[in-house]
Structures are given as C-alpha cells and as structure tokens.
Amino acid sequence: DAGVTQSPTHLIKTRGQHVTLRCSPISGHKSVSWYQQVLGQGPQFIFQYYEKEERGRGNFPDRFSARQFPNYSSELNVNALLLGDSALYLCASSLYPRDTEAFFGQGTRLTVV
Amino acid sequence: AQKITQTQPGMFVQEKEAVTLDCTYDTSDPSYGLFWYKQPSSGEMIFLIYQGSYDQQNATEGRYSLNFQKARKSANLVISASQLGDSAMYFCAMREIASGAGSYQLTFGKGTKLSVIP
C-alpha cells in the first residue's frame, strides 16, 4: 500500500510569489494535517482537515490556506511568500482526527529566495 | 511554557547498546496521546510508537518501548540493541485539542539527534 505522498519534493520560489503543495493520504484515511518544520525545530501545526472540512488551524497568518478534495487529497496554498516561509512542509494522514497513528509524507522542501 | 520538552539535543550510543531518549510534557487535559517519531536526513517523519494517557501498560513496538510515567509527566523512548540505521532525529509529540471542534494537533518537541557509533 502506498504511504502518504507529497508533491513536489523540492521547489524554489521568489519572495512575493504563490505556492501550492499537494498531499495524497493513505488510502482510506479521511483526516489530513499540515505542518511546517523550520530548520532545527520540531514541526508546527498549520491545518487539519477531516471529511473535506477545516477542523483546526494553527497560529499562522491568513496567507496560508488549504482545502481537502472529495478523494481526501489536500492542497496547502501560501500567498505572498516571505523568506521566513522557507521550511519543510509535512502532510500527515490518519483515519480520524483523533487516532492512535498518524503517518507523515516525505515532505516538500520549500526555499524562498 | 513548552508543552513538550526534550532536554537532550544530541546523544551518542554504541551499536547494540540500549539508549533512552527523554521527553516530558505538560497538559491539563486528562485525555491525551503521546507519539514518538524518527526523522532521518531524508526528512520523512516515521511513526514509531504511541501511548494513550489511559493506557495501563507501557507501549512496545519491536525494539522500541515507551517508559510512561504519568505522575511525572514523562514519556521516554527506549531503543534496545541500537543499530547504525537508528542514527536520526527523534521527536516526541503530544496530541491535544486544536482550535476547531473535533480537531486535534500534534505538538512536537525540539528533537534529539541520536548518533549510533559502530
């Protein structure tokens, strides 16, 4: 069975641009969460989606948005990129929001120049 | 105050020896979950083990065990018989209620870098 897949794996953007990151959860998983991991830190929670609805939002500016599609895949969008948005963006999937297992993808490494 | 504290930025262990990675947490929620993840240099977060706050026994998964001491709010990871492939960052995380109804988030510590010496 395929695990959580994220695309692209790496990308470089210029300040002020927009970026879209994609995540496909494990088959059958309905909950998807997004995390930002800055170099040298643990991941920080951005969003959680369950059954195509936003269920939780972390302390991130409105430039960050996301959505979940009927097939439970998800997109994370970031507008007006700042240098500080450079990070590893991780997607996690689980059956339910409150589950005993949460599996992560390999992440998308975003560099803003 | 930090909700997850990992006090060991780096640890060294001899191959085939056991090692304990420390984690303390802070929450007022009686129902919570504790996770350990391994992150190799490739970046992927690999799920290792889970402990629920109401679980009576310490969780075990192969060479991984979680030493759960609820009163002390600690959830240390024990890796037995270390292997070279265990060299990686290790993160302790706690699941807690997020901002929305029915939403939960993982709060991570800063991690411990484990290096296994041949």
Side-chain angles (χ1 to χ4, degrees):
Chain A
D1 285 344
V4 181
T5 57
Q6 292 186 243
S7 63
T9 54
H10 297 81
L11 75 166
I12 300 173
K13 290 285 188 177
T14 304
R15 276 180 299 174
Q17 283 189 316
H18 163 90
V19 68
T20 297
L21 311 181
R22 295 177 175 83
C23 171
S24 292
I26 291 171
S27 178
H29 284 194
K30 300 178 180 180
S31 177
V32 170
S33 298
W34 287 93
Y35 290 81
Q36 180 196 63
Q37 186 178 20
V38 173
L39 196 62
Q41 301 291 321
Q44 275 201 295
F45 173 73
I46 310 176
F47 286 111
Q48 183 182 56
Y49 277 78
Y50 178 62
E51 289 285 17
K52 301 170 287 268
E53 291 185 2
E54 181 183 306
R55 294 297 186 98
R57 172 186 285 256
N59 188 22
F60 279 80
D62 292 343
R63 300 184 296 106
F64 288 77
S65 64
R67 55 180 175 167
Q68 187 176 34
F69 298 99
N71 65 354
Y72 302 110
S73 67
S74 178
E75 281 183 355
L76 175 69
N77 296 284
V78 187
N79 292 324
L81 285 167
L82 304 173
L83 295 179
D85 295 331
S86 296
L88 180 67
Y89 288 85
L90 294 160
C91 171
S93 85
S94 57
L95 271 171
Y96 307 106
R98 183 179 183 179
D99 206 344
T100 59
E101 293 177 320
F103 298 93
F104 284 80
Q106 82 282 10
T108 294
R109 200 169 293 276
L110 171 66
T111 302
V112 183
V113 297
Chain B
Q2 285 186 344
K3 293 195 174 186
I4 296 287
T5 303
Q6 295 181 254
T7 57
Q8 307 151 313
M11 289 278 288
F12 289 89
V13 64
Q14 204 75 36
E15 194 178 6
K16 299 180 185 177
E17 298 292 312
V19 63
T20 298
L21 306 183
D22 295 341
C23 172
T24 57
Y25 60 92
D26 183 28
T27 182
S28 55
D29 187 349
S31 178
Y32 52 89
L34 297 160
F35 297 74
W36 275 93
Y37 285 89
K38 170 184 178 182
Q39 188 176 44
S41 56
S42 61
E44 182 178 0
M45 298 286 281
I46 301 169
F47 168 76
L48 296 178
I49 197 165
Y50 168 83
Q51 179 84 42
S53 59
Y54 294 118
D55 293 343
Q56 294 295 313
Q57 293 189 328
N58 287 344
T60 60
E61 290 285 350
R63 296 188 297 112
Y64 305 107
S65 60
L66 200 152
N67 184 2
F68 182 46
Q69 298 188 44
K70 196 170 182 177
R72 300 177 65 179
K73 292 188 175 179
S74 75
N76 298 338
L77 177 70
V78 180
I79 305 175
S80 63
S82 296
Q83 302 171 357
L84 295 178
D86 293 336
S87 293
M89 285 292 292
Y90 287 80
F91 289 94
C92 178
M94 178 172 63
R95 183 188 59 222
E96 56 183 345
I97 295 172
S99 59
S103 172
Y104 298 87
Q105 67 182 71
L106 293 177
T107 298
F108 287 81
K110 292 187 175 182
T112 295
K113 184 174 183 179
L114 177 67
S115 299
V116 180
I117 304 167

